[in-house]
Amino acid sequence: MSDLPRPLPWLGVIGQVPALDVSAPSGGPVSAVLPAPLPVEAAAPEVTMATAAAAPEVRAEPPWWASVVSKVRSKFKTPKRPGSGLPARKIIVWLRNARRVSQTGFLLLFLFLLVRTEFRGGFAGGATVRMPYPVEGFLLADPFVALMTFLSTHTIYRALWWSVGMVALTLIFGRVFCGWICPFGTLHHFFAWLIPNPQGATTGGRRVKANMTHGYQNAKYYLLGAFLVAAVCGSAIGGLFDPICICVRAIGLAVLPAANYISGRGLDGLSQTNIHALQLGSDATRDALVATVMQPRQYFFHQTWVIGALLFVVLLANRWIPRFWCRVLCPLGATLGVIARYALVGMEKDHSKCTDCNLCLVDCQGADSPQGGVKHRHDECHVCLNCEVACPEDVIKFTFLPKRTSLAKAQDTLDRRKVLTTALTGAAVLPLARTSDTIDSNYYDRLIRPPGSVPERDFMERCIRCAECMKVCPNNALHPAFLESGIEGFWTPILIPRIGYCEPTCVLCGQVCPTGAIQKINETQKLGDPVRHIEPIKIGTAFYDHGRCLPWSMATPCIVCEEFCPTSPKAIWVEEVDTPDRNGHPVHVQRPHVDPTLCIGCGACEKVCPVQDRPAVYVTSVGESRSKTNVILLETSNYNRS
Amino acid sequence: MLGASGLIAWRRYDRGGWSVGDQGGPREVRDYRVADHGGPSDFAVIRGTSASRPAEMVRHAVEALGGMRRFVSRGDVVAIKPNIGWDRTPIQAANTNPEVVAAVVQLVFEAGARRVVVTDASCNDPGRCFQRSGIWSRAHAAGAEVLLPAEHRFRTMRLRGEVLDEWPVYRTLIEADKVINLPVAKHHNLAKYTAAMKNWYGTLGGRRNRLHQSIDMSVADLATFMRPTLTVLDAVRVLLRNGPQGGNVDDTQRMNAIVASTDQVAVDAYGCTLIGQRPENLAYLRIGEERRLGTRDWHTLRPREVALRDDGATERYGLIVPAGVSPSDVAFDLHHPAPRIIT
């Protein structure tokens, strides 16, 4: 991959190109293949026009306020367009504003759904707890997720068919998802504006250069190829790079808890002052935050700093490559890009009119070669419409059924050998990951999957690491795995009972799972029903560490574990014992035992064990319902009962 | 500059060192009891039938003590503390019956309260407990403010009890003019029986799991700290086994009883007999009595017992009160032991 611009030459007729600035001596025809680096003024028409208007005819000392006045005036005057001065089509200006509204709206919708991906309860709610609307909606409309899981499972899980709608939308309008809808794209759009390239400031040659098509933009297609091959081989690992997954994961597991922490500590500090008004204000603010966006308690996520740091790095990369993620890495963008090659709406360019002013490149989001003299990269275009609004010569037109000759073809852009090698990489990663310590051998004993999870191999085919389950878990029990489930299971959900246990009547993680890695179960399936002979879903089994247990080794009553055991009859039963203390006096204690036939592995006992650092009762995954091999008991054995 | 830095160094000098906070001092007490206005009784037991509505039983119980106006004054902020500890539905009887909660809220409003707050620091996820117990909807419908426990609503206090010293305490529950304890009678494997005194676990935050190592003393410490205005015990449906969480309807039994008293020890002494316990088996009752929190001998509290009958009439102290007569129209007078209907 080269960092040099690699536009595809337009081989049609190129007309005489008038110079941009009529007062300057006219130059010869500008090279159509690679435009020379432009002076800063060329890319900053507003500045040029404003200064020109303010310059007096007579050579006189301008008063000190002249520059101020001209600046103020330029704020209110519509700057004259450079070049031909033709105004942009009304509809396009309107559509660009519509795009901005759409981006803001969808980002807010996404954040709203994310914040609502939790159970808050309410007076109107009944005994059955469900999410009132599909909070995972963005993932359901994600064709990359649908395609990946289709290749790995050969099925489309439930509402993932929504993504067909997105395919249809892309077939009509191109990658409008990237430019108009994607919340991660909007974040990048915003950050590329917020932290522009330090050398090129906000406009100018470097910025134009940065927005030209680069070879590195092909990386995402190779990445997509590798992920799809990995999916065929049985791993949905591509979810690590899905932008919606990243958004849910990074904002839900890192940004929101961090914001909660900061606001909580700040307001705590206020409420600890002795000033009554500050205390009241702090309490009221806390109440308002908890009622709207914050959680009533601080959530913690296992190794979430990595997730936060990666988000930071990716957003910071906009400083060097605007919309770094969307252009270089996004596999969803690549999926839509492939589809967008066949879109009905596209760009048509009148190359003969182009003056090579490069204004179209100043705000180009996709780096899709909107400028004249080169073929348009339809697959890279986000349809943001900035180029057509900026074009002073009316060269660029978005239209239905554009002339295909100005569009680049796949074979122009992708290197067949690279496609092959990356595909092979995708195929090779899997056997390497799976011959390490996972799934088949040396299974990590505390790899507890959420209730309703499919067997581990199927789980890997489905789990896209979107973190919806972790966000929705009311007890903060589900966490992104670090290396617990091997390199392949990075950021898949695991249950860490010490932080939170699995609430027995809760089935929300399965409800929000978009791919069925956690199946949609109901309460009866989860809790079982002895009358109808339905076995409860077990996610593990509890064990006692007698050396640390108070009644077992310290002659001290406790059995909080038994109190919290939610099954009926309780899986933890107690043995009444009189045990001597160090002086030989008998102390009556109740010693807890686990009945593995009744234990569902929810981890409530581990959560509440008073031995704070390493609890005396802990859950491991053995006995989980989903596995036929990770078992203790013969199915017919009836432990502890005659 | 030198002067300023010297001043800061002098003012903010930290000698370091290792010390523990002072252990002494008197016990913290939050006493919400009202001065005795000489109500007709301090202990009422209502026995209904399976046809009696819980709200009706609660009303009879409070009327037997002299009516809610004895406890709540106009303009009061009243905190009601039911047991909303577990993610269970009403029929599983692990939480206070929502109808009982709603009835008490209504009585408190009728007595002129300005604001009624219903809350508890649950064991399971509070959102689920509040919603699935039905208390959220019923209390809300009755006009109460239902508050979910949130971290910032707790403040660390020195209780200076025997085993409870520094704990985060639920501010909402102690920052009220009157506090009404609204427990449900349940079996508890470690404490043997849980209701009124142990219900105060729900005023504490933090990691309550350590309390179980000395459960009787910590229950007594909490009951010493919290002295409620009134205790209304829900024994409409009682969890007999697998307490305090239950989960199986077979472990519960319908008892159709409401006990109301100003004395939390007496309520527990009476209530434990419902699940077949005896007051002398419960160490926390003994400690409570020793600390003069109340008496185990509820017979000394001028008890009143009312039996509701299926035909809507009530039988009280030998007097049959026909249906349609308001409980407040029955006069109790200490000088005329036999009650009579005011016409």
Side-chain angles (χ1 to χ4, degrees), chain A residues 127 501 505 562-563 608 612, chain B residues 87 124 132 189 207 209 212:
Chain A
Y501 62 92
T505 58
E562 191 260 6
E563 178 177 335
V608 298
Q612 182 67 39
Chain B
D87 175 23
N124 292 141
R132 298 188 75 239
N189 210 356
R207 291 189 68 88
N209 49 19
H212 288 61

Side-chain angles (χ1 to χ4, degrees), chain A residues 544 546-561 574-575 577-582 585-592 609-611 616, chain B residues 163 190 209-215:
Chain A
Y544 277 95
H546 288 179
R548 299 176 73 85
C549 180
L550 297 171
W552 275 100
S553 68
M554 297 170 212
T556 306
C558 184
I559 64 159
V560 191
C561 47
V574 295
E575 177 192 6
V577 182
D578 285 305
T579 183
D581 64 7
R582 64 179 295 170
H585 301 308
V587 179
H588 184 79
V589 293
Q590 293 158 307
R591 282 182 175 163
C609 178
V611 186
Chain B
V163 291
L190 186 64
N209 49 19
R210 278 181 294 147
L211 302 181
H212 288 61
Q213 290 157 39
S214 182
I215 196 161

Side-chain angles (χ1 to χ4, degrees), chain A residues 126-127 177 230 246 249 290 300 338-339 370 407 431 489-490 498 530 587 639:
Chain A
F177 176 79
I246 293 176
R249 195 163 59 213
V290 165
F300 302 91
V338 171
I339 301 169
L407 303 180
F490 205 69
R498 200 52 180 158
V587 179
Y639 178 85

Side-chain angles (χ1 to χ4, degrees), chain A residues 139 141-148 163 166-167 170 332 335-336 339:
Chain A
L139 287 159
D142 183 331
F144 174 56
V145 169
L147 178 62
M148 203 166 45
S163 57
M166 190 58 69
V167 172
T170 312
L332 173 58
T335 312
L336 297 173
I339 301 169

Side-chain angles (χ1 to χ4, degrees), chain B residues 29-33 223-229 264 292-293:
Chain B
V29 174
R30 289 288 180 278
D31 193 347
Y32 302 95
R33 290 174 297 172
T224 316
F225 172 64
M226 288 298 283
R227 311 289 289 276
T229 315
Q264 48 182 343
R292 295 172 184 279
L293 303 180

Side-chain angles (χ1 to χ4, degrees), chain A residues 326-636:
Chain A
C326 317
R327 292 181 190 175
V328 185
L329 291 177
C330 185
L332 173 58
T335 312
L336 297 173
V338 171
I339 301 169
R341 288 174 190 274
Y342 311 102
L344 293 181
V345 172
M347 187 205 283
E348 205 169 271
K349 289 191 270 193
D350 186 351
H351 296 270
S352 61
K353 282 197 207 158
C354 178
T355 59
D356 285 328
C357 67
N358 282 345
L359 287 175
C360 52
L361 282 169
V362 172
D363 288 314
C364 177
Q365 295 299 311
D368 45 80
S369 300
Q371 75 273 30
V374 293
K375 283 186 175 178
H376 182 230
R377 286 289 298 272
H378 202 174
D379 53 336
E380 294 294 297
C381 179
H382 295 181
V383 206
C384 70
L385 306 177
N386 280 339
C387 52
E388 183 171 348
V389 174
C391 182
E393 308 291 348
D394 238 0
V395 171
I396 298 168
K397 266 208 172 71
F398 280 90
T399 172
F400 273 94
L401 300 171
K403 283 189 214 117
R404 290 276 156 196
T405 42
S406 36
L407 303 180
K409 292 192 176 69
Q411 54 264 43
D412 297 337
T413 56
L414 291 179
D415 179 354
R416 201 182 299 167
R417 206 173 300 174
K418 280 185 189 158
V419 171
L420 194 66
T421 42
T422 45
L424 284 176
T425 315
V429 163
L430 213 61
L432 280 180
R434 292 200 176 171
T435 46
S436 303
D437 293 338
T438 50
I439 305 187
D440 297 317
S441 152
N442 197 16
Y443 193 74
Y444 178 59
D445 59 342
R446 310 213 64 188
L447 186 63
I448 304 166
R449 293 293 187 194
S453 294
V454 291
E456 188 65 12
R457 266 170 199 283
D458 302 345
F459 196 81
M460 286 299 167
E461 286 176 359
R462 288 173 180 270
C463 178
I464 53 167
R465 292 99 168 131
C466 65
E468 285 281 342
C469 52
M470 308 169 205
K471 180 70 183 70
V472 83
C473 180
N475 282 354
N476 194 201
L478 294 177
H479 294 263
F482 199 58
L483 291 171
E484 287 81 359
S485 64
I487 191 78
E488 195 195 342
F490 205 69
W491 290 343
T492 53
I494 55 169
L495 197 132
I496 303 183
R498 200 52 180 158
I499 303 177
Y501 62 92
C502 181
E503 196 70 67
T505 58
C506 173
V507 293
L508 292 179
C509 51
Q511 205 210 334
V512 299
C513 180
T515 61
I518 313 168
Q519 291 285 315
K520 288 182 179 31
I521 50 173
N522 61 31
E523 286 81 356
T524 314
Q525 287 165 323
K526 189 176 180 195
L527 299 170
D529 186 345
V531 179
R532 284 188 275 166
H533 301 288
I534 301 171
E535 285 283 313
I537 290 177
K538 301 177 179 205
I539 56 175
T541 307
F543 294 88
Y544 277 95
D545 184 346
H546 288 179
R548 299 176 73 85
C549 180
L550 297 171
W552 275 100
S553 68
M554 297 170 212
T556 306
C558 184
I559 64 159
V560 191
C561 47
E562 191 260 6
E563 178 177 335
F564 268 76
C565 183
T567 61
S568 183
K570 286 174 187 289
I572 295 176
W573 57 275
V574 295
E575 177 192 6
E576 309 275 343
V577 182
D578 285 305
T579 183
D581 64 7
R582 64 179 295 170
N583 299 319
H585 301 308
V587 179
H588 184 79
V589 293
Q590 293 158 307
R591 282 182 175 163
H593 296 256
V594 178
D595 182 342
T597 56
L598 290 174
C599 181
I600 54 172
C602 69
C605 48
E606 179 173 344
K607 166 72 183 151
V608 298
C609 178
V611 186
Q612 182 67 39
D613 55 349
R614 179 149 56 86
V617 57
Y618 58 95
V619 177
T620 69
S621 65
V622 71
E624 53 184 347
S625 303
R626 69 188 186 120
S627 173
K628 290 207 172 5
T629 50
N630 190 16
V631 291
I632 324 177
L633 303 168
L634 191 63
E635 277 169 56
T636 50

Side-chain angles (χ1 to χ4, degrees), chain B residues 43-49 52-65 96-101 103-104 107 181-185 230-238 254-261 267 270-271 274 304-308:
Chain B
F43 192 89
V45 178
I46 309 300
R47 294 253 185 205
T49 65
S52 331
R53 289 179 302 110
E56 185 191 2
M57 292 197 279
V58 169
R59 192 170 284 270
H60 279 296
V62 174
E63 289 298 343
L65 298 186
T96 307
N97 188 315
E99 301 302 327
V100 172
V101 180
V104 173
L107 288 176
N181 192 7
L182 211 51
V184 57
L230 171 68
T231 304
V232 179
L233 174 73
D234 161 29
V236 177
R237 185 177 280 279
V238 176
R254 214 169 150 152
M255 295 204 174
N256 304 311
I258 294 283
V259 183
S261 174
V267 170
Y270 181 91
L274 295 173
R304 302 278 192 189
E305 211 162 345
V306 179
L308 305 187

